[in-house]
Amino acid sequence: QVQLVESGGGVVQPGRSLRLSCAASGFTFRSFGVHWVRQAPGKGLEWVALTWSDGNNKYYADSVKGRFTMSRDNSKNMVYLQMDSLSAEDTAMYYCARDEGGDTGLDYWGQGTLVTVSS
Amino acid sequence: QSVVTQPPSASGTPGQRVTISCSGGSSNIGSNHVYWYRQLPGTAPKLLIFRSNQRPSGVPDRFSGSKSGTSASLAISGLRSEDEADYYCAAWDDNLSAYVFGIGTRVTVL
């Protein structure tokens, strides 16, 4: 069955870095794009980043552009989100979700990993 | 402030029909498909509608989506208590080169 499992969250001080991972299984990973979507406590969904299947086409929300970098390793069925210069505003649950790319939407989501930025 | 707007709340009694609107612009809803996601408390979001009006397998036909111009809507017919959740519309925005979510609509079953 399709599974996406996020990891790497935790408590980090402002200005520091953190790398999130998303492990995919149960489908042909190299054929799918992957999004990161976050949700601050008590708030709505905020799209963060997208990488398509070849890993070369990447898109970022303005709020993270220049600080976050998304990458993928198709040989390991993994997606990563390198987060630098973190601030309290980045505190959120971070979800990864797959996207087939044929306007089918984000059809499978992981359970999320919580990032807390605090001194 | 999101580029796609939806009401923060909606409500209805069991069995009623509830409609949630989602308004955007020419660079998002006006030129791309709309998606709807449902999020139950403490859980990950789930895809409810894709390509503006298509349901993934397993989603009951009580849920329907539509789009006209730069607006879209989600209708829930035969409202049930288990439909209490947050509902988000989303679309790709060509100007921003970003996926944009609405603020979410909390549906309450009275």
Side-chain angles (χ1 to χ4, degrees), chain A:
Chain A
Q1 71 280 21
V2 174
Q3 272 199 313
L4 295 162
V5 180
E6 304 92 340
S7 61
V11 180
V12 61
Q13 292 179 328
R16 303 298 290 267
S17 299
L18 202 62
R19 189 177 85 152
L20 305 183
S21 300
C22 172
S25 60
F27 63 100
T28 306
F29 177 73
R30 64 180 179 274
S31 298
F32 285 78
V34 177
H35 298 251
W36 285 99
V37 177
R38 68 184 181 183
Q39 186 170 35
K43 302 296 184 182
L45 301 175
E46 179 188 13
W47 178 80
V48 173
L50 161 66
T51 180
W52 284 116
S53 54
D54 63 2
N56 292 327
N57 290 315
K58 302 173 190 178
Y59 303 88
Y60 299 93
D62 285 345
S63 58
V64 307
K65 205 170 290 183
R67 300 187 301 120
F68 288 15
T69 303
M70 190 172 180
S71 61
R72 64 187 291 161
D73 185 339
N74 286 344
S75 68
K76 296 181 179 179
N77 287 5
M78 296 289 295
V79 168
Y80 307 98
L81 185 68
Q82 176 68 37
M83 305 186 296
D84 299 325
S85 303
L86 286 163
S87 69
E89 288 68 40
D90 298 313
T91 293
M93 182 71 80
Y94 285 74
Y95 298 99
C96 62
R98 77 169 197 179
D99 185 344
E100 187 187 21
D103 295 324
T104 51
L106 281 60
D107 63 348
Y108 280 89
W109 297 61
Q111 287 307 300
T113 186
L114 182 62
V115 172
T116 303
V117 183
S118 173
S119 54

Side-chain angles (χ1 to χ4, degrees), chain A residues 37 39 44-45 47 50 59 95 102-107 109-110, chain B residues 33 35 37 39 43-45 47 50-51 88 92 97-99 101:
Chain A
V37 177
Q39 186 170 35
L45 301 175
W47 178 80
L50 161 66
Y59 303 88
Y95 298 99
D103 295 324
T104 51
L106 281 60
D107 63 348
W109 297 61
Chain B
H33 286 297
Y35 305 86
Y37 299 89
Q39 186 177 34
T43 69
L47 179 66
F50 66 98
R51 289 182 192 150
Y88 295 89
W92 183 260
S97 290
Y99 202 71
F101 286 95

